[in-house]
Amino acid sequence: MSEKLKVGVLVSGSGTNLQAILDESNDGLPVEVVKVVSSRPDAYGIERARAAGIPVVWLNREAYADPAAADRFIARELVAAGAQYVVMAGYMRKVTPVLLEAFPNRVVNLHPALLPSFKGAHAIQDAFDAGVKVTGVTVHFANEDYDRGPIIAQRPVAVREDDTVSDLAARIHDMEHLLYPEVLGMIAQGRVHVTSEGKVSIDA
């Protein structure tokens, strides 16, 4: 059994990816969520953290008036909790160099499209509107270039002829809940490396 990877999870909303990580952790995934940080005081992810007995802190809009100060606070909280990696799970704030430098190549993000296509906050709608036949999910390391960090893993999701945006979003979220824990498991096993060329290499 691999030693458990200690992660801090950043959320902004319902926290379904946080829940997927917690469920898989309870089922043997070698990952321990040591702290949850919410960018909103009313995010349901806070309740999920509390139900699991995980320490949680939250910020509000005023706290983000100075993004670097907000990230300095987050970094202090996560370091104090013993987090080795930062996991962005539906976190709707762009992280600053303050957090990235505190956790170099250790801030992981999830994006509901196959990057580099359909960057930004409306990726599912944008892919649907573009009429693509395949979209998907990307897990990548965050860096200062929004949605352009080194890609760790991707999974395709087909767009069906009779899909609505809601149908497509539901299947993309289902794939997120599978892929994110899988990637964290690979990181916990020490199999994920960022090369000198800025790409990700994964040991077999």
Side-chain angles (χ1 to χ4, degrees):
M1 171 67 77
S2 304
E3 183 178 347
K4 286 192 175 184
L5 179 75
K6 293 179 170 57
V7 303
V9 179
L10 309 184
V11 301
S12 292
S14 62
T16 58
N17 278 296
L18 167 63
Q19 190 65 57
I21 294 165
L22 293 173
D23 290 346
E24 291 297 320
S25 298
N26 290 334
D27 202 31
L29 182 73
V31 172
E32 178 185 359
V33 178
V34 295
K35 191 97 175 188
V36 170
V37 179
S38 174
S39 67
R40 293 170 41 199
D42 59 344
Y44 189 70
I46 293 171
E47 301 307 317
R48 295 182 189 275
R50 286 175 171 161
I54 298 166
V56 58
V57 294
W58 59 89
L59 296 86
N60 56 26
R61 185 181 299 272
E62 289 72 27
Y64 286 97
D66 183 342
D71 275 2
R72 195 170 297 113
F73 169 79
I74 292 169
R76 283 198 304 266
E77 288 287 322
L78 297 184
V79 168
Q84 298 163 282
Y85 276 73
V86 180
V87 175
M88 300 168 67
Y91 186 65
M92 300 307 292
R93 293 279 179 174
K94 183 178 179 181
V95 297
T96 70
V98 172
L99 188 61
L100 295 171
E101 289 168 9
F103 293 88
N105 287 329
R106 289 181 287 134
V107 180
V108 188
N109 188 41
L110 181 73
H111 186 74
L114 295 176
L115 293 174
S117 298
F118 307 113
K119 303 179 187 71
H122 308 291
I124 298 174
Q125 183 73 56
D126 291 346
F128 185 85
D129 290 345
V132 297
K133 301 306 181 186
V134 178
T135 182
V137 177
T138 301
V139 180
H140 67 100
F141 287 114
N143 61 17
E144 293 180 49
D145 197 354
Y146 191 67
D147 285 343
R148 285 185 181 270
I151 292 171
I152 306 170
Q154 294 181 305
R155 293 290 184 276
V157 174
V159 183
R160 298 170 182 166
E161 292 296 326
D162 59 348
D163 266 345
T164 65
V165 173
S166 296
D167 295 334
L168 179 59
R171 292 204 311 285
I172 286 175
H173 294 323
D174 286 345
M175 183 61 74
E176 291 174 351
H177 301 160
L178 295 173
L179 183 59
Y180 221 177
E182 179 184 329
V183 167
L184 294 177
M186 292 190 295
I187 292 173
Q189 293 163 357
R191 295 169 52 201
V192 178
H193 315 279
V194 179
T195 70
S196 58
E197 292 80 22
K199 297 182 179 180
V200 171
S201 170
I202 300 176
D203 298 338

